[in-house]
Every structure is written in C-alpha cells, then in structure tokens.
Amino acid sequence: MALRTIVKDGDPILKKVCRPVTKFDDRLATLLDDMQDTLVDADGLGLAGPQVGMMRRIFICLDDRNRPEDAPADYKDTFIEFINPEIEYLSDETVELYEGCLSFPGHNGAITRSKKVKVKAQDRNGNWFELEAENMLARCIQHENDHLNGVTIMDRATHFYEDDYPEDTED
Ligand code: NI
C-alpha cells in the first residue's frame, strides 16, 4: 500500500489539461493501485490523475452499483478505472446536488450535472470498454473527467456552503 499526496487548492496543476496515457505498463498499474489506496484512505468517491500530481487522462471512481444499502463497516468497495475517457452521452435530465472534492476540503458546491452518462475508456491493459452510469456514479464520472480538463467544483458551483453549515453559520 502506497499513499500519494493529494494536491490541494491553489496548486496550478489543478487548472491544467492532462495528456493521454500512451504506455500501459507496470508504472501505470502502480499509479492506479496507489490512487485506489489514496482514495480509500481519504474516504472519497473519486480521484483523478492531476490530484496526485500526474498530468495524465486517468481517474478512478467508487463503483456503488452493487453496494448494499446496509453495507457493514468492513465492506470491501470496488473501483472503476478510466483511462483516456471520452464522454459519449450526457442526459438532458439533470440533478443539482452539493458536491465536494478532496482537493478543496471544506468546500461543498451546488452543481447541476446530467443524471445519466455514457463513457468510453480504456482499462489498465489498454482495452476499450463502454459504460453507462446514473446517479452517484454518473456524477463522479463527470466530476473526475472535469479534473482532466483543469475544471473543478470551484468553476462549476453556483454557490457553496461550508462543512459546518448550517449550525455555525451566522448570516
Ligand atoms: Ni475532485
């Protein structure tokens, strides 16, 4: 298990456009394993390459599709790896929800996203696959794909609230 440092707010790397992955080798596999360890350790839902300092078109998302609602504390989550992803379809039907990001701790932004998404991507061996997702996984894919284009919740959100809202809000 190896944890990578998560890049935080203010780092210019979060505003850059990532390059495609061209080598599907052991180095890529190690990066993906480390990203998963890092994501689990941070208790997040998704993580993109630039968030661990890698300017490559790569992200992972927690796969909640078969997760039981009353999952035990030691439930082993699974993750989906997307390499060189291409969004092929975004539904006109949208949902607005508050959304956080491991690179912007303490910020939750209201963001409208498509309810359903269809994405094409490569796996860690370079094989192409297509995936249709909805709800949380669809939101995660759109959020992480944004990271590959230098776009974050700070650009997308219409408004924000802080973690301790509403108890300690004084307005
Ligand atoms: Ni993020």
Side-chain angles (χ1 to χ4, degrees):
M1 164 151 170
L3 299 180
R4 307 243 177 163
T5 303
I6 297 178
V7 170
K8 297 281 163 60
D9 188 7
D11 193 312
I13 201 169
L14 293 170
K15 292 187 177 290
K16 290 182 178 162
V17 176
C18 297
R19 298 182 300 275
V21 171
T22 53
K23 282 188 201 157
F24 295 83
D25 55 9
D26 288 350
R27 212 161 151 251
L28 176 67
T30 301
L31 170 64
L32 285 161
D33 290 344
D34 289 355
M35 283 175 70
Q36 186 173 314
D37 290 342
T38 305
L39 181 57
V40 170
D41 181 71
D43 203 18
L45 301 175
L47 191 67
Q51 291 184 278
V52 290
M54 299 299 295
M55 297 305 302
R56 293 290 174 176
R57 303 194 76 79
I58 174 175
F59 65 76
I60 61 173
C61 286
L62 188 148
D63 185 0
D64 70 333
R65 291 173 298 175
N66 296 312
R67 195 180 207 282
E69 257 185 47
D70 53 349
D74 60 349
Y75 180 81
K76 195 106 177 71
D77 278 310
T78 55
F79 298 84
I80 310 175
E81 300 168 347
F82 299 84
I83 296 151
N84 299 329
E86 295 169 23
I87 304 271
E88 297 188 305
Y89 167 78
L90 291 167
S91 66
D92 290 335
E93 188 184 355
T94 56
V95 182
E96 185 187 55
L97 278 177
Y98 282 104
E99 194 175 302
C101 177
L102 294 174
S103 292
F104 299 91
H107 297 280
N108 287 286
I111 302 180
T112 300
R113 305 244 189 222
S114 290
K115 187 173 159 52
K116 295 181 184 173
V117 61
K118 190 166 158 189
V119 60
K120 189 174 106 175
Q122 286 168 284
D123 65 17
R124 62 167 64 195
N125 300 312
N127 300 311
W128 287 94
F129 66 94
E130 212 172 48
L131 185 137
E132 285 182 59
E134 57 184 347
N135 300 324
M136 197 218 74
L137 181 57
R139 178 168 290 268
C140 183
I141 289 168
Q142 292 168 78
H143 175 118
E144 303 310 330
N145 196 66
D146 271 351
H147 274 299
L148 308 187
N149 297 318
V151 176
T152 70
I153 60 168
M154 309 313 276
D155 307 302
R156 289 270 190 216
T158 52
H159 57 278
F160 293 89
Y161 73 86
E162 301 307 314
D163 264 342
D164 50 5
Y165 180 89
E167 289 79 10
D168 298 333
T169 304
E170 291 184 345
D171 58 1

